[in-house]
Amino acid sequence: MARSLNEWLWQHEFWLPPGITWEDMKESEEIHYPQPHDLLLSIPFALILIVIRYFFERTVALPLSGKLGVRDKPRPKAQPNLVLETFYTTRCKHPREGELINLAKQCDLPVRNVERWFRRRRNADRPSVSKKFCEACWRFIFYIISFFTGLAVLYDKPWFWDHRECWTGYPQQPLQPSLFWYYLLELSFYCSLVFTLPFDVKRKDFKEQIVHHAATIFLISFSYCANYIRIGTLVMVIHDASDCFLEPTKIFNYMKWKKTCNCLFMIFSAVFLISRLVIYPYTVLYNTYYYSMEIFQPFLGYYFVNVLLMTLQLLHVFWSCLIIHMVYKFVLQGTMEKDMRSDTDESDKDEEIEKIKEKEKNGITHFSNNCIQRNGSQQQSNRTHLTNGHAKDR
């Protein structure tokens, strides 16, 4: 059965244009074509990247965060409570009003205390600023390396300047070693992101990130197997261009360098919107959908790769709306809005009210003490000391 499934999956009608079979894609000593089994190398390389990332974050990024003044916000810890902890881990993290009342009865606690416990427990699960800083540093290092690697590999390639060259001689386009290693680097990185997804910082667009990673891995893998190498390299370079500015924007935000963060965010916004909404549709979508038809007739692989590319474009539009909204707020208010994809700590209103009252009380006491000191000093100033040690009012 497995053999039948394998034969069905690798039918040349699925992967190659009409008139081309796998016999036409046979390799020789001088010509090497992409082979599906090459992609298996991405798994060990992804594990290697995870190990490198672990040591980089622990030995470089984390100490660097302390030297740059990145401080984690102190969070009050939730008191140990077996009943509430069991409900939190097995049922839900946001109990309803009726559930809060039942839990309060079981624990013999006021409902307000139970609400406070759940707020503190949720805050404890949220990632710290130092963790976000380390993660942004790792991504920044990779995107810089990947982007300039892509430029170094593609700057002398004809399809980088003339996009119609992507289809010259397709699919019989030999695979160059530099393109193979560039593909392996990108595929291994996104596989590593999938492996570490449960442990990384979860943002509000977590589902969109999963779709993005899945579409990227499928696109890289399919484009390699179907020898869409040339168009695939363009996709990767375009994506890395804006990501090189996104991660340092986050880094300076965690460092509280607001002006630098704002400037980098505006640069990132411009690069992202131009590269994802202008360059990508023309260089990739239009190129794949129309220019390729000058060389061959549509086939299943042609439709599949276009569906993947359009899925990425829909994600581009989604994130572009968020970015435009943030830029709009910045232009109107003059301050950068917090990343709408990030979860922030929930404020404990009861504790805040108590702290405000305590501050007000301390302020009144301090004010009274100042008045007493001033009055005392004024009374002292109204007296003059005589040489015999007695004081005399002026």
Side-chain angles (χ1 to χ4, degrees), residues 115-356:
E115 289 179 339
R116 182 186 295 124
W117 189 93
F118 275 95
R119 278 195 295 268
R120 291 181 175 181
R121 187 64 180 83
R122 287 192 295 267
N123 286 336
D125 281 350
R126 288 186 170 84
S128 61
V129 178
S130 59
K131 177 177 175 60
K132 295 178 181 179
F133 178 89
C134 294
E135 188 174 307
C137 286
W138 165 251
R139 291 175 185 262
F140 173 63
I141 293 297
F142 175 82
Y143 288 135
I144 284 290
I145 295 175
S146 178
F147 177 67
F148 285 101
T149 299
L151 291 181
V153 169
L154 294 176
Y155 82 97
D156 61 342
K157 302 298 187 293
W159 67 86
F160 186 68
W161 309 102
D162 184 2
H163 306 318
R164 277 188 166 88
E165 289 293 328
C166 289
W167 311 109
T168 300
Y170 179 83
Q172 296 170 310
Q173 298 172 337
L175 176 64
Q176 301 177 16
S178 59
L179 298 179
F180 166 76
W181 288 110
Y182 180 46
Y183 247 74
L184 186 62
L185 175 67
E186 289 279 353
L187 181 59
S188 300
F189 175 72
Y190 282 102
C191 287
S192 70
L193 290 184
V194 172
F195 295 156
T196 60
L197 207 56
F199 312 102
D200 290 341
V201 176
K202 292 185 180 180
R203 305 181 184 274
K204 293 180 180 179
D205 61 346
F206 180 72
K207 294 180 180 180
E208 288 79 6
Q209 282 186 331
I210 295 177
V211 174
H212 175 269
H213 295 341
T216 302
I217 291 174
F218 275 116
L219 180 60
I220 293 176
S221 302
F222 180 81
S223 63
Y224 186 86
C225 295
N227 205 11
Y228 281 107
I229 299 291
R230 297 184 179 183
I231 200 69
T233 54
L234 295 179
V235 173
M236 293 186 291
V237 167
I238 291 173
H239 279 71
D240 290 340
S242 59
D243 291 333
C244 290
F245 294 98
L246 174 61
E247 301 306 326
T249 302
K250 296 178 183 178
I251 291 173
F252 284 108
N253 180 45
Y254 303 143
M255 294 167 54
K256 306 296 183 183
W257 290 27
K258 296 301 181 183
K259 291 184 179 180
T260 306
C261 174
N262 293 343
C263 292
L264 283 174
F265 180 78
M266 297 304 292
I267 296 174
F268 159 74
S269 301
V271 174
F272 185 94
L273 296 176
I274 293 173
S275 63
R276 306 292 180 93
L277 300 184
V278 179
I279 297 178
Y280 178 84
Y282 173 73
T283 304
V284 177
L285 295 182
Y286 187 83
N287 186 10
T288 307
Y289 192 78
Y290 288 103
Y291 288 166
S292 60
M293 292 295 94
E294 298 176 358
I295 307 299
F296 55 81
Q297 296 298 317
F299 63 104
L300 184 61
Y302 163 82
Y303 293 113
F304 186 68
V305 75
N306 275 282
V307 168
L308 292 175
L309 293 174
M310 285 301 301
T311 302
L312 285 181
Q313 182 60 21
L314 292 176
L315 292 172
H316 297 165
V317 173
F318 170 78
W319 282 314
S320 296
C321 292
L322 296 180
I323 293 172
I324 292 173
H325 179 73
M326 294 178 70
V327 172
Y328 177 74
K329 289 288 186 180
F330 175 73
V331 172
L332 288 184
Q333 300 177 359
T335 57
M336 187 62 63
E337 184 177 327
K338 291 183 178 180
D339 189 353
M340 291 179 292
R341 303 179 304 140
S342 300
D343 289 329
T344 55
D345 288 3
E346 297 176 73
S347 61
D348 198 326
K349 296 182 180 179
D350 297 333
E351 290 186 358
E352 288 182 354
I353 293 173
E354 292 175 3
K355 289 180 180 179
I356 292 173

Side-chain angles (χ1 to χ4, degrees), residues 355-369:
K355 289 180 180 179
I356 292 173
K357 289 182 179 179
E358 185 177 352
K359 288 181 179 180
E360 290 178 351
K361 183 179 179 181
N362 293 336
I364 293 173
T365 304
H366 181 68
F367 176 75
S368 301
N369 291 336

Side-chain angles (χ1 to χ4, degrees), residues 72-118:
D72 293 330
K73 182 180 178 181
R75 297 169 177 172
K77 294 183 179 180
Q79 295 296 326
N81 190 304
L82 182 60
V83 175
L84 300 181
E85 183 68 28
T86 303
F87 186 92
Y88 181 87
T89 54
T90 59
R91 295 284 299 278
C92 70
K93 299 180 180 180
H94 295 269
R96 299 176 182 177
E97 185 177 355
E99 294 171 332
L100 287 172
I101 295 174
N102 291 333
L103 290 171
K105 291 180 180 179
Q106 294 178 32
C107 300
D108 194 20
L109 292 172
V111 177
R112 184 174 297 179
N113 289 2
V114 177
E115 289 179 339
R116 182 186 295 124
W117 189 93
F118 275 95

